[in-house]
Amino acid sequence: MVRPSLAVRLGSLELAYPTLMGSGCYGSGAEYAPFADLSKVGAIVLKSVTRAPRLGNAMPRLVHTPAGMLNAIGLQNPGIDWYLERELHKYADRPCKIIGSVAGFSVDDYAFVCERLAARDEIAAVELNVSCPNVDREGATFGCDASLTASVVRAARATTTKPLIVKLSPNVTDITAVAREAEDAGADALGVINTVRGMAIDVERWKPRLANISGGLSGPAIRPIAVLAVYEVAQAVKIPIVGQGGIETVTDALEFFLAGAAAVSIGTANFTDPRIPQRIVEELETYLARRNVASLSEIVGKANVAFSTPHQYEGDEG
Ligand SMILES: Cc1cc2nc3c(=O)[nH]c(=O)nc-3n(C[C@H](O)[C@H](O)[C@H](O)COP(=O)(O)O)c2cc1C
């Protein structure tokens, strides 16, 4: 069996493997290193960092839901200055790429943090988490408005030539409109999708289960929403897509590749089994090799082709 190539490019970012570890779901990788082979990870996306330190939301911040979880962490982080001075140097020796993630509450916040983060050698690319409220527009979420998203991307773009991944919110009527604006504003790749808004209520206490009332739903519950979003966005833009939302197995990841994702991101699944990313990579190699597919890129978006003939299965089983 020929070993298929799993390498992907997101703009000028070259990854040996097509698997990113989702922001807020993998720490800096240190917590996972005793259990997982980080050299088999494409990239780790760090927890989103903001201009000022944030304590995050009041507890409880996490709720278990059927096939997923609701979180309202509230972007807890030490702020960009502390991060640059005390944290980032620790990640220099990771055997995979490190992607910084920027969150903000104004366009200027994004530019400020992006510029500082991207200037560091440890950072190979920057992801913009646009699922944040804009204080200048009564808390409207940047990612829910195409022109606001474009403003953030343009401002961040002006600060760096490193690859910019814009992580889109699914909490919109037409995600393709936001995707197009992000592309036009200079994004090198799109993350599709961030969490879906949700709420859970404690019927004994007659209170929301999250102190923040609402939160972001992640895990397998959102996978079909995410696969459709990837499929639609792939028709609308030319830049590569990092598909995410409920990926737990190689079959899940394949759905995203076939829908049009060049790479995938694994978030919530890491909380239950740190070996899932490595297993997905190994099983992806086997899947492609058995079908004589030389490179992962050959199957990207192939679910779009009407009446396509799948690659001949040439394994020895069945
Ligand atoms: C506990 C938790 C914290 C998260 N924190 C962030 C964050 O700081 N920035 C961000 O862009 N996404 C954050 N996410 C979203 C994930 O990175 C991912 O995009 C989303 O959960 C969908 O993928 P999944 O279903 O595989 O988790 C967080 C998700 C969870 C569950």
Side-chain angles (χ1 to χ4, degrees), residues 12 18 76 115 128-129 149 153 186 188 221 265 292 297 306-307 317:
S12 59
Q76 180 180 346
E115 181 171 25
L128 300 176
N129 171 7
T149 302
V153 179
D188 295 292
S265 173
N292 281 329
S297 58
F307 310 115
E317 297 139 29

Side-chain angles (χ1 to χ4, degrees), residues 22-25 47-48 62 69 71 73 75 101 127 129 167 193-195 218-219 222 244-247 265-269 271:
S23 176
C25 301
K47 174 76 186 166
S48 294
L62 290 177
M69 66 191 270
N71 92 80
I73 306 295
L75 294 171
S101 170
E127 185 170 270
N129 171 7
K167 188 164 171 187
I193 55 174
N194 209 325
T195 54
S218 63
I222 68 167
Q244 58 207 284
I247 296 176
S265 173
I266 299 148
T268 303
F271 297 133

Side-chain angles (χ1 to χ4, degrees), residues 85-296:
E85 280 164 29
R86 319 246 184 145
E87 293 285 328
L88 219 47
H89 69 275
K90 297 183 206 158
Y91 313 153
D93 62 352
R94 294 283 184 277
C96 61
K97 297 276 166 68
I98 297 288
I99 299 175
S101 170
V102 177
F105 303 97
S106 68
V107 171
D108 189 51
D109 273 0
Y110 280 97
F112 184 91
V113 177
C114 182
E115 181 171 25
R116 282 154 184 78
L117 201 51
R120 291 285 294 256
D121 290 342
E122 299 90 338
I123 296 294
V126 173
E127 185 170 270
L128 300 176
N129 171 7
V130 290
S131 297
C132 302
N134 179 0
V135 288
D136 297 330
R137 290 229 199 140
E138 289 154 4
T141 304
F142 289 97
C144 294
D145 180 310
S147 69
L148 272 180
T149 302
S151 306
V152 169
V153 179
R154 267 194 302 273
R157 179 75 289 165
T159 70
T160 181
T161 53
K162 285 192 180 168
L164 277 185
I165 305 169
V166 181
K167 188 164 171 187
L168 302 183
S169 168
N171 303 312
V172 292
T173 314
D174 179 8
I175 196 167
T176 63
V178 192
R180 275 193 216 96
E181 290 279 340
E183 180 181 44
D184 290 348
D188 295 292
L190 300 173
V192 180
I193 55 174
N194 209 325
T195 54
V196 178
R197 289 188 75 218
M199 179 179 184
I201 296 175
D202 182 333
V203 299
E204 297 303 329
R205 295 164 60 237
W206 294 16
K207 284 182 75 166
R209 287 190 181 274
L210 289 170
N212 189 55
I213 302 175
S214 67
L217 183 63
S218 63
I222 68 167
R223 194 187 316 126
I225 299 171
V227 172
L228 176 62
V230 167
Y231 178 82
E232 291 183 340
V233 170
Q235 320 296 309
V237 300
K238 293 196 176 62
I239 51 178
I241 296 168
V242 182
Q244 58 207 284
I247 296 176
E248 292 188 321
T249 67
V250 71
T251 310
D252 303 339
L254 282 162
E255 276 198 70
F256 282 86
F257 293 125
L258 292 167
V264 291
S265 173
I266 299 148
T268 303
N270 288 308
F271 297 133
T272 49
D273 184 350
R275 292 187 187 86
I276 283 177
Q278 190 173 335
R279 202 175 305 135
I280 288 177
V281 160
E282 286 162 5
E283 293 179 8
L284 193 54
E285 246 171 26
T286 309
Y287 176 94
L288 296 175
R290 285 206 177 136
R291 284 161 180 78
N292 281 329
V293 179
S295 161
L296 173 66

